[in-house]
């Protein structure tokens, strides 16, 4: 069955990026995204391309995997590029097709914007999806947000929900496949007919799926109760996150990168990207 | 009499990915009347094979013939195959969805495009065969007990009047009484309606007492095919591939070592007891 | 002998609704489970055995009757939440559906879940999780996703989660019912190891005769009542009683029973196929020599 999606796309490994504290990775990702949007000219883009390539090398993840991860955004990137090429007005006219005019600046701008999207996806997946398990991410999120629990935000409950969702998504996907097969065996047809007919055809899948999800939820709640779960209070964790020197070093390095980009924007004015 | 035939069938999961798995290897098989049992481990390919019979899975190579015609020849043929080879999946009670038991059983026949009169007739017949009590026909299927739900699901497939009734572990999770009743009911239905039955199961004891023919699968291949007596007499080979044999077959084999030979083809308690009585009454 | 669980005159009724009448699930059930013993509760679906399990785990409250856990009364109005929490630290439960009791998407995180709820220090949890996984033979799957495991492996993970909490009694509520023969064998071996080697009190709820035959004691439930109790030998010596309760006896017992009916002088309390054959051979030879 081809239903088994690569959920979270975590790649097993033991690189420095894998070993970073998930909290550090979350913070770094946020800073890195901001820095990418601060980048204005060709020099800063060059610098960020270099740092992102360094990240890829550090992570030890194969280029083929990364290229595969970029596939889904290909369309968005192309679309943005085309819009930029056709609707950007600059000084150097390259092609004049009467209705649309293509300028050198437009091409250039499009290139940088696509580069930004690519760098955005590659860098965040380097820090988050490829090197961090969804569970570790949830965990990091819970601990980063834990101060909010003091003002009554149910941080633990949200993270428990996330944990359980991560656990059950593959199970429910598999179950959907089974139910679909069972109904197909009774002659259900999911592929032909108009919109309304197709929507109706989904009922025999959705209802058993819901019934099963509720049954599972009930069972799981009982099982958790039997394992002495009483909510977040008084709970400890097996894996305690310890921030190490390299976590701080990484955060510092990325902050420094941000500062460098800002300075380069000011002191090295080159071709500037708009948008 | 209808006949399902697999010719040189191979089935490969996730072809071209690192998870590629060769689930069925060069299978040639013809299944006709009677009750045919398929046994094998989880992962032996038996569940994949079952999905080939009614076109839920498409062979990677080779062909599936229903009465001599390839079911994958045209797309309508596949759907027709699903009606003619009715499949009851494992834990079928989890596929119930309609508001009432009646509506659920009627789902298959309605998909066949039958008239309401015909649907009604088939639903009532199927419910009777599957021993669904009349009183529950207008109740929600979700209010029934586990055993009753399974009967309703079974009726939902029987109502299509398939020429083949294929069941994947029909007795899974049931207690001995429930097993006897559902397997006995299926056997009775097969006889009364002339439907060929294919049952997949782990339970050697059940297969021994209900099947006319047993097919043993291991690592994607058919390793044995014959009557229960023929299959269970190859006791050591079965154990060799990690399958069980009925406890009584082991007893018979141990009895032979004690000088009481009642044959190698013992697989039901009644038979063993009869043979033994003959021995000591001499 | 110390009793881990003592049940006295337990009654339980599921209240009906609409046109569904009340169902009396348990009626005057009494028994004791000795510390370190292996007790099987046998019964067909709907015989009350699962209701019994949920009462023992304090998931449902009985209509009347008493349940003592390690000598402490756990039923009635004086039972506090702390008492329940305390009892749950001692009595654990492994359920039927292996999928619906695993919380985390990494095996070792799931095994740690119960210990984390107890508020144990991280180093202690780590040690217990490693030990528990070792004990059920799942150490090498510690970082795996439970989703990819077989049914038997999932149940062993669930068992590890229970033993990591160092419970002295584990109730298995039809934990083998959804497994294939291989999975059942794995789980039964784990259960026997826990009982014989680790000294855990085991209550196994099942409808498989072969599993019940491996217990020290069998309690047979039927229609919400205790039908009979005794050693497996004693219980299975009365096949008619079990057949009437929609249960089976092992094939060895059935054969011996039929031989006995046919006039052969054999014992009925044998479950091993070799012993069974030896017993029949002995009896047949004895008879043949008598005839001569």
């Amino acid at each position: 069955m081809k239903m088994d999606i690569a959920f979270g796309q975590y790649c097993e490994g033991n690189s420095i990026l894998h070993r970073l504290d998930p909290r550090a990775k979350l913070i770094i990702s946020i800073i890195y995204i901001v820095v990418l949007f601060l980048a204005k000219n060709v020099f800063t883009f060059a610098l960020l391309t270099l740092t992102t390539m360094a990240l890829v090398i550090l992570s030890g993840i194969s280029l083929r995997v990364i290229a595969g991860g970029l596939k889904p955004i290909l369309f968005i990137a192309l679309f943005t590029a085309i819009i930029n090429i056709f609707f950007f007005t600059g000084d150097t006219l390259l092609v004049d097709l009467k209705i649309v005019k293509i300028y050198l600046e437009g091409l250039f701008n499009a290139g940088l914007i696509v580069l930004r999207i690519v760098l955005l996806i590659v860098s965040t997946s380097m820090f988050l999806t490829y090197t961090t398990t969804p569970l570790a991410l949830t965990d990091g999120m819970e601990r980063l947000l834990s101060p909010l629990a003091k003002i009554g935000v149910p941080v633990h409950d949200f993270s428990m929900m996330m944990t359980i969702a991560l656990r059950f998504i593959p199970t429910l996907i598999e179950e959907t496949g089974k139910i679909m097969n069972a109904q197909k065996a009774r002659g259900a047809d999911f592929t032909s007919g108009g919109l309304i007919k197709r929507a109706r055809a989904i009922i025999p899948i959705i209802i058993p799926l819901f019934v099963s999800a509720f049954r599972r939820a009930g069972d799981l709640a009982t099982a958790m109760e039997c394992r002495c779960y009483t909510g977040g209070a008084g709970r400890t964790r097996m894996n305690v996150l310890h921030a190490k020197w390299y976590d701080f070093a990484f955060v510092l390095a990325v902050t420094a990168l941000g500062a460098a980009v800002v300075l380069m924007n000011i002191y090295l004015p080159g071709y500037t990207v708009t948008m | 009499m209808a006949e399902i035939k697999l010719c040189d069938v191979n089935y490969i999961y996730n072809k071209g990915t690192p998870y590629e798995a060769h689930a069925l290897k060069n299978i040639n098989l013809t299944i006709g009347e009677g009750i045919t049992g398929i046994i094998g481990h989880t992962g032996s390919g038996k569940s994949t094979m079952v999905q080939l019979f009614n076109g839920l899975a498409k062979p990677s190579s080779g062909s599936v013939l229903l009465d001599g015609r390839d079911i994958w020849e045209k797309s309508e043929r596949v759907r027709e195959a699903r009606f003619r080879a009715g499949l009851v999946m494992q834990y079928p009670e989890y596929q119930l969805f309609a508001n009432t038991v009646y509506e659920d059983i009627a789902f298959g026949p309605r998909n066949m495009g039958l008239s309401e009169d015909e649907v009604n007739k088939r639903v009532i017949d199927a419910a009777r065969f599957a021993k669904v009590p009349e009183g529950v026909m207008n109740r929600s299927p979700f209010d029934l007990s586990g055993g009753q739900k399974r009967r309703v699901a079974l009726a939902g497939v029987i109502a299509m009047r398939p020429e083949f009734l294929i069941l994947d572990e029909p007795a899974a999770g049931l207690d001995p009484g429930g097993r006897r009743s559902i397997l006995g009911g299926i056997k009775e239905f097969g006889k009364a309606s002339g439907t060929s039955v294919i049952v997949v199961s782990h339970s050697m004891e059940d297969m021994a007492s209900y099947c006319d023919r047993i097919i043993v699968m291991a690592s994607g291949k058919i390793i044995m095919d014959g009557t229960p007596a023929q299959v269970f007499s190859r006791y050591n080979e079965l154990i060799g591939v990690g399958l069980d044999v009925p406890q009584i077959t082991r007893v018979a084999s141990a009895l032979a070592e004690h000088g009481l030979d009642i044959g190698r083809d013992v697989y039901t308690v009644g038979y063993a007891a009869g043979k033994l009585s003959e021995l000591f009454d001499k | 002998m110390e009793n881990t669980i003592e049940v006295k005159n337990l009654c339980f009724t599921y209240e009906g609704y609409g046109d569904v009448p009340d169902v009396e699930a348990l009626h005057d059930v009494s028994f004791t489970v000795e510390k370190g013993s292996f007790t099987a509760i046998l019964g067909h679906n709907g015989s009350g055995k699962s209701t019994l399990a949920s009462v023992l785990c304090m998931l449902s409250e009985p209509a009347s009757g008493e349940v003592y856990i390690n000598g402490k009364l756990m039923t009635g109005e004086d039972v506090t939440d702390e008492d329940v929490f305390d009892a749950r630290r001692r009595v654990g439960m492994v359920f039927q559906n292996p999928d619906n009791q695993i919380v985390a998407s990494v095996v070792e995180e799931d095994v740690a879940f119960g210990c984390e709820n107890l508020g144990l220090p991280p180093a202690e949890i780590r040690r217990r999780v490693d030990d528990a996984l070792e004990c059920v033979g799942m150490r090498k799957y510690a970082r795996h996703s439970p989703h990819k495991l077989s049914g038997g492996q999932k149940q062993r993970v669930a068992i590890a989660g229970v033993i990591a909490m160092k419970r002295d009694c584990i109730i298995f509520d039809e934990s083998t019912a959804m497994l294939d023969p291989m999975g059942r064998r794995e789980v039964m071996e784990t259960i026997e190891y826990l009982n014989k080697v680790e000294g855990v009190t085991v209550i196994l709820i099942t409808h498989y005769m072969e599993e019940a035959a491996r217990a020290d004691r069998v309690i047979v439930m039927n229609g919400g009542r205790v039908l009979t109790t005794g050693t497996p030998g004693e219980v299975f010596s009365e096949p008619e009683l079990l057949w009437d309760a929609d249960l089976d006896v092992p094939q060895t017992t059935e054969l011996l029973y039929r031989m006995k009916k046919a006039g052969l002088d054999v014992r009925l309390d044998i479950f091993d196929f070799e012993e069974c054959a030896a017993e029949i051979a002995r009896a047949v030879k004895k008879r043949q020599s008598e005839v001569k």
Side-chain angles (χ1 to χ4, degrees), chain C:
Chain C
M1 198 69 185
E2 215 180 321
N3 290 329
T4 299
I5 290 180
E6 196 173 351
V7 173
K8 282 185 184 162
N9 313 104
L10 208 59
C11 293
F12 188 96
T13 307
Y14 287 105
E15 272 170 46
Y17 57 93
D19 51 357
V20 184
D22 286 6
V23 178
E24 195 180 30
L26 295 175
H27 184 86
D28 198 21
V29 172
S30 304
F31 62 87
T32 54
V33 173
E34 280 176 13
K35 192 170 163 44
S37 68
F38 179 176
T39 306
I41 299 179
L42 192 59
H44 64 85
N45 293 343
S47 62
K49 60 190 194 310
S50 282
T51 309
L52 186 59
S54 83
V55 172
L56 293 182
C57 275
M58 289 145 293
L59 295 165
S60 331
E61 213 161 309
S64 66
E66 287 141 26
V67 175
Y68 295 87
I69 290 175
N70 289 327
K72 190 163 170 37
L73 181 63
M74 291 308 300
T75 45
E77 311 211 322
D78 302 332
V79 180
T80 62
D81 284 353
E82 285 85 74
D83 290 340
V84 172
F85 190 79
D86 205 51
R88 286 210 174 114
R89 299 180 66 141
R90 297 166 173 281
V91 180
M93 193 146 167
V94 178
F95 296 86
Q96 181 177 25
N97 191 327
D99 266 320
N100 298 357
Q101 53 191 321
I102 293 179
V103 185
S105 47
V106 176
V107 167
E108 64 172 17
E109 294 272 350
D110 185 76
V111 176
F113 179 76
C115 296
E116 294 178 337
N117 292 333
L118 297 180
L120 299 173
E124 170 76 9
I125 301 180
R126 167 54 62 191
R127 209 168 44 78
R128 286 190 181 197
V129 167
D130 290 346
D131 288 350
L133 282 171
E134 189 72 57
C135 182
V136 300
M138 289 293 290
R139 186 85 184 255
K140 66 173 181 222
Y141 295 97
R143 300 292 308 159
H144 280 232
S145 155
H147 172 63
K148 306 248 170 178
L149 302 179
S150 73
Q153 289 174 327
K154 283 183 202 163
Q155 284 301 49
R156 276 148 68 200
V157 170
I159 295 172
V162 172
I163 54 184
M165 293 173 80
K166 300 240 156 105
R167 266 102 164 228
D168 28 41
C169 174
I170 306 179
I171 302 174
F172 294 87
D173 186 8
E174 301 204 43
S175 310
T176 58
M178 293 181 79
L179 305 181
D180 61 11
M182 189 114 82
R184 268 165 61 195
R185 211 173 307 144
E186 284 168 27
V187 170
M188 280 310 290
E189 274 163 17
T190 309
I191 291 175
E192 285 188 323
Y193 173 82
L194 286 178
N195 177 251
K196 304 279 177 307
V197 182
E198 305 280 325
V200 177
T201 311
V202 169
I203 300 177
L204 175 70
I205 296 172
T206 184
H207 54 239
Y208 289 113
M209 315 304 126
E210 318 85 74
E211 288 171 8
R214 288 154 84 163
D216 303 328
R217 216 162 72 99
V218 182
I219 298 171
V220 183
M221 300 281 301
N222 188 32
R225 293 159 199 262
V226 174
L227 183 69
T228 175
T229 68
T231 62
E234 288 161 3
V235 168
F236 292 124
S237 299
E238 299 176 86
E240 279 141 340
L241 196 62
L242 295 176
W243 283 324
D244 283 347
D246 254 344
L247 292 169
D248 254 338
V249 292
Q251 286 191 325
T252 47
T253 315
E254 192 185 340
L255 181 66
L256 290 165
Y257 174 77
R258 289 198 189 209
M259 297 326 302
K260 193 173 181 138
K261 276 227 148 167
L264 207 58
D265 181 27
V266 285
R267 278 163 54 207
L268 292 183
D269 54 348
I270 296 171
F271 313 115
D272 183 77
F273 66 93
E274 275 171 352
E275 282 175 40
C276 169
E279 174 73 6
I280 292 174
R282 185 195 57 75
V284 169
K285 273 173 200 143
K286 191 172 155 220
R287 188 179 162 116
Q288 283 166 341
S289 65
E290 278 166 11
V291 172
K292 278 171 200 164

Side-chain angles (χ1 to χ4, degrees), chain B residues 10-264:
Chain B
N10 280 283
Y11 192 88
I12 300 163
Y13 278 102
N14 303 318
K15 202 169 182 173
T17 72
Y19 303 104
E20 188 173 301
H22 206 148
L24 292 174
K25 298 169 192 156
N26 289 319
I27 301 283
N28 281 294
L29 178 68
T30 308
I31 295 182
E33 61 188 304
I35 300 188
T36 306
I38 302 177
I39 50 183
H41 273 305
T42 308
S44 63
K46 60 186 182 355
S47 291
T48 311
M49 191 148 94
V50 157
Q51 299 199 351
L52 287 176
F53 291 147
N54 77 336
L56 272 181
K58 189 177 180 178
S60 308
S61 72
S63 48
V64 182
L65 308 178
L66 189 55
D67 281 342
R69 293 175 75 182
D70 193 328
I71 63 166
W72 289 98
E73 198 177 270
K74 280 192 217 135
S75 61
E76 316 91 74
R77 185 70 51 74
V78 182
R79 197 143 177 259
E80 190 200 305
R82 290 193 187 141
F83 296 129
R84 293 182 59 191
L87 171 64
V88 183
M89 310 242 304
Q90 219 176 107
Y91 294 101
E93 56 272 32
Y94 296 150
Q95 76 198 29
L96 301 178
F97 70 96
N99 287 329
T100 65
V101 168
Y102 181 95
E103 291 296 311
D104 211 293
I105 301 176
F107 182 67
R110 285 205 180 122
N111 283 331
M112 296 170 81
L114 300 170
S115 71
E116 262 322 287
D117 274 355
E118 181 63 23
V119 169
N120 185 46
K121 219 170 90 198
R122 290 188 171 202
V123 170
I124 288 167
D125 272 1
R128 206 184 56 236
F129 267 127
K131 299 188 185 122
V132 176
E134 250 173 69
V136 304
M137 292 300 271
N138 289 316
R139 291 212 353 230
S140 161
F142 301 111
D143 286 347
L144 307 180
S145 74
Q148 281 177 327
K149 279 186 200 165
R150 188 164 300 181
R151 289 168 194 290
V152 172
L154 178 62
V157 174
I158 289 179
M160 303 193 304
R161 299 225 176 129
E163 291 149 69
F164 282 90
L165 182 63
I166 309 168
L167 305 113
D168 193 355
E169 291 283 350
L174 297 180
D175 57 28
R179 297 182 85 87
R180 272 198 293 266
S181 140
I182 208 139
L183 291 170
I186 289 164
K187 186 168 185 165
E188 212 174 284
F189 166 74
K191 276 224 178 92
S193 64
T195 311
S196 308
V197 178
I198 302 173
V199 191
V200 174
S201 175
H202 290 299
S203 166
M204 299 297 156
E205 279 87 356
D206 287 348
M207 297 301 252
S209 30
Y210 291 99
C211 297
D212 304 318
R213 173 185 176 192
I214 292 180
I215 294 166
V216 183
M217 308 242 349
S219 344
K221 288 183 181 154
I222 294 174
I223 58 163
M224 287 180 213
D225 184 351
T227 62
Q230 286 166 342
V231 167
F232 290 120
S233 66
R234 293 163 74 180
Y235 166 94
N236 290 324
E237 280 172 74
L238 283 170
I239 294 176
V241 293
L243 287 166
D244 267 329
V245 292
Q247 216 189 1
I248 197 72
T249 310
R250 290 179 187 248
V251 175
S253 156
L255 275 171
E257 281 167 32
H258 285 281
L260 287 173
D261 198 351
I262 54 170
R264 304 282 290 158

Side-chain angles (χ1 to χ4, degrees), chain A residues 16-263:
Chain A
I16 178 90
L17 288 184
H18 284 86
R19 278 176 285 140
L20 277 181
D21 189 306
R23 291 172 298 185
K25 288 196 251 198
L26 280 162
I27 295 171
I28 293 167
S29 302
I30 294 167
I31 302 175
Y32 209 89
I33 292 169
V34 172
V35 174
L36 272 170
F37 279 95
L38 284 176
K40 282 274 181 279
N41 61 35
V42 74
F43 301 108
T44 50
F45 269 100
L47 176 64
L48 288 171
T49 309
L50 282 177
T51 54
T52 308
M53 275 159 69
L55 285 176
V56 172
I57 294 165
L58 271 182
S59 75
I61 287 163
S62 81
L63 286 173
R64 200 200 293 172
V65 172
I66 295 166
L70 285 173
K71 245 186 239 157
I73 60 136
L74 204 67
F75 175 74
I76 301 175
L78 264 174
F79 184 72
T80 338
I82 289 167
I83 296 237
N84 265 282
I85 292 168
F86 290 146
F87 296 100
F88 198 90
T89 32
D91 306 321
T92 333
L93 190 63
L94 287 179
V95 186
D96 194 348
L97 295 170
K98 300 289 176 234
I99 323 157
V100 282
K101 295 185 170 70
I102 297 175
Y103 296 89
L104 177 66
E105 288 81 0
L107 275 180
F108 200 74
N109 209 42
L112 287 187
I113 284 171
V114 170
L115 182 62
R116 177 183 280 162
I117 296 175
V118 169
L119 291 181
L120 193 74
I121 300 295
V122 173
S123 61
T124 47
S125 50
M126 277 307 112
F127 287 121
L128 304 177
T129 44
Y130 289 140
T131 63
T132 323
T133 60
L135 197 67
L137 265 186
T138 312
D139 213 22
M141 204 105 75
E142 178 183 358
R143 281 175 232 204
L144 268 185
L145 298 177
S146 63
L148 293 179
K150 293 203 179 73
I151 57 163
V153 179
V155 178
H156 167 76
D157 305 53
F158 279 123
S159 116
M160 186 50 88
M161 272 162 57
M162 275 297 291
T163 307
I164 292 171
L166 288 172
R167 157 73 186 83
F168 279 93
I169 284 170
T171 308
L172 290 176
I173 288 176
E174 192 183 291
E175 181 137 37
T176 311
K178 277 189 197 153
I179 295 172
M180 275 179 86
N181 269 345
Q183 308 301 28
K184 271 196 219 159
R186 291 206 278 167
D189 184 3
F190 307 118
T191 48
S192 67
L195 199 63
I196 293 174
K197 189 168 172 246
R198 284 194 198 199
R200 279 179 63 97
I202 293 177
I203 295 175
I205 299 172
I206 292 290
I207 290 178
L209 195 61
F210 265 80
V211 170
S212 142
F214 279 117
R215 185 174 38 85
R216 288 182 191 281
D219 283 2
L220 187 70
T222 308
M224 285 169 74
E225 205 181 316
C226 278
R227 293 170 78 181
C228 297
Y229 181 70
T230 49
R235 224 172 107 76
T236 51
R237 299 304 301 270
M238 172 170 72
N239 292 321
V240 183
L241 297 177
H242 292 291
K244 309 225 172 43
W245 65 267
Y246 49 77
D247 293 311
F248 292 105
F250 248 93
V251 175
L252 258 166
V254 177
T255 316
L257 182 70
V261 165
V262 171
L263 291 175

